[in-house]
Amino acid sequence: MKKKLTYEEAIENLENIVKELEDGNVPLDKALELFEEGARLTSFCSKALETAEQKILSVTEAEAKKEGDCDA
C-alpha cells in the first residue's frame, strides 16, 4: 500500500529535485522527468496550502461568529 504524501515530504522532494537540476549533471531525459515530477509536486503543495488556508478561514470565521454571539 502506498503511503499518502505529506506537504513536508513533497517540499523535501521538490528541494532535492531543484538541487539535482541546479547541479547540471543530469542527462536531458532525466532532467525532463525531474521537471515533470517537480511540476506535480508544486501542484500538490499549492493545493495543500489552499486547503489549509480554507480551513484557517473557516475556523477564524466560526470563532469570530462565536465572539459576536457572546457580545450580544
Side-chain angles (χ1 to χ4, degrees):
M1 190 167 114
K2 198 171 185 180
K3 185 180 111 174
K4 185 177 178 185
L5 184 68
T6 66
Y7 174 81
E8 291 77 13
E9 291 169 334
I11 289 292
E12 184 178 339
N13 291 346
L14 193 53
E15 289 172 347
N16 290 335
I17 287 171
V18 169
K19 285 177 191 172
E20 198 170 343
L21 289 172
E22 285 180 342
D23 285 344
N25 298 325
V26 181
L28 181 58
D29 288 345
K30 177 69 175 174
L32 288 172
E33 287 176 22
L34 290 171
F35 181 82
E36 289 173 352
E37 179 63 15
R40 282 191 291 275
L41 290 168
T42 299
S43 177
F44 172 85
C45 290
S46 179
K47 289 175 185 171
L49 288 174
E50 287 174 17
T51 300
E53 182 180 17
Q54 289 303 315
K55 286 181 182 179
I56 290 168
L57 289 172
S58 178
V59 168
T60 54
E61 287 172 2
E63 287 302 313
K65 242 183 190 179
K66 282 183 189 178
E67 288 177 13
D69 291 344
C70 290
D71 292 341

